[in-house]
Amino acid sequence: MSSDITPYRALVRPDQRAALKAQQPCVLWFTGLSGAGKSTLSTLVDAALYERGYHTFVLDGDNMRRRLCRDLGFSDADRAENIRRVAETARLMTEAGLIVLTAFISPFRSERAMARSLFAPGRFVEIYVNAPLELVEQRDPKGLYRRARRGEIRRFTGIDSPYEAPEHPEVELDTARFPPERCVRAVLAYLEEKGLLNPPTDIPGAGLREREGDPFFPQPERG
């Protein structure tokens, strides 16, 4: 990193922004094979939280690939960079006080561990959308598995590129056995159990006084 870069310090802290929204910012990281139900479930959970008055945002794999990550391919290195960008974006959005939902295959444990490392303990909720390969191939809503089997798509997760399932996810959703409505209730129940849907408390106000002596923040002139 260049020595010419100086960290920006705002007057309003992330916890104060969260207090303004009366919620606990966190990231709900949906991971699983293509066709497992990540986008469907993240969208339904997002809608359920919105109806309860929470401030949320969904980062979806296809949308990010069309915008922020449109310059990336599907090599292992590009997949890792894709997840890095998503994780950093999600982190910034939680600093704005939002509950962020991400729907990405994110096939490698190392990349998911990197994403987790950006967040405070308890603020990264890994949600494993578990569906067997034979089921998602039957669903195949985008026709991607058929194309991969024909050799038209190379390095497709589950076919000729591995998916490393989470070993200890906070939530596991078996979409082969349970309908979407039950999966949504399971996610909400976890958030409630961990207190992530409770408003934060004891957050002091923002102001210049808190930045006095901070070398990274311009100090008011005296005299």
Side-chain angles (χ1 to χ4, degrees):
M1 182 180 295
S2 172
S3 60
D4 296 329
I5 296 176
T6 301
Y8 164 75
R9 301 287 181 88
L11 279 175
V12 183
R13 300 194 313 270
D15 57 351
Q16 293 165 333
R17 298 182 192 280
L20 187 65
K21 295 178 175 63
Q23 63 184 40
Q24 304 278 356
C26 61
V27 61
L28 311 182
W29 193 280
F30 291 78
T31 176
L33 291 170
S34 177
K38 300 180 300 300
S39 293
T40 297
L41 293 176
S42 62
T43 299
L44 290 173
V45 172
D46 177 51
L49 290 172
Y50 173 82
E51 289 174 357
R52 294 185 179 198
Y54 293 98
H55 300 258
T56 62
F57 195 84
V58 176
L59 298 175
D60 185 78
D62 283 350
N63 289 345
M64 294 293 282
R65 282 282 185 175
R66 291 172 181 166
R67 296 172 183 170
L68 181 63
C69 302
R70 64 185 179 184
D71 59 318
L72 299 176
F74 291 91
S75 66
D76 287 355
D78 279 359
R79 288 173 187 264
E81 173 60 15
N82 183 55
I83 296 305
R84 188 194 70 80
R85 294 184 192 181
V86 171
E88 290 286 0
T89 300
R91 183 184 66 82
L92 289 172
M93 297 182 86
T94 60
E95 289 185 358
L98 298 176
I99 297 172
V100 184
L101 304 91
T102 74
F104 292 80
I105 295 174
S106 46
F108 305 124
R109 294 190 188 106
S110 59
E111 272 67 60
R112 298 196 300 270
M114 174 278 300
R116 182 185 292 273
S117 72
L118 299 178
F119 298 88
R123 297 306 177 95
F124 182 94
V125 180
E126 187 175 46
I127 302 174
Y128 177 28
V129 185
N130 187 358
L133 179 61
E134 52 270 24
L135 176 60
V136 296
E137 282 204 74
Q138 290 174 14
R139 292 173 178 170
D140 202 10
K142 304 173 187 176
L144 299 177
Y145 286 98
R146 290 189 295 275
R147 293 179 59 197
R149 290 293 187 187
R150 293 196 299 263
E152 297 174 8
I153 301 177
R154 299 293 184 183
R155 303 194 61 75
F156 189 78
T157 302
I159 304 300
D160 56 354
S161 185
Y163 176 76
E164 299 172 354
E167 296 177 322
H168 304 289
E170 278 74 15
V171 180
E172 182 170 347
L173 306 175
D174 186 345
T175 59
R177 296 177 55 199
F178 302 118
E181 295 77 13
R182 179 164 175 175
C183 293
V184 170
R185 290 198 298 270
V187 174
L188 296 178
Y190 176 86
L191 298 177
E192 290 171 348
E193 176 189 349
K194 298 300 180 180
L196 291 172
L197 298 184
N198 298 334
T201 59
D202 301 326
I203 303 299
L208 286 171
R209 185 182 302 277
E210 296 185 23
R211 290 304 187 188
E212 289 185 357
D214 187 335
F216 294 107
F217 193 82
Q219 301 299 305
E221 293 183 5
R222 303 296 184 182

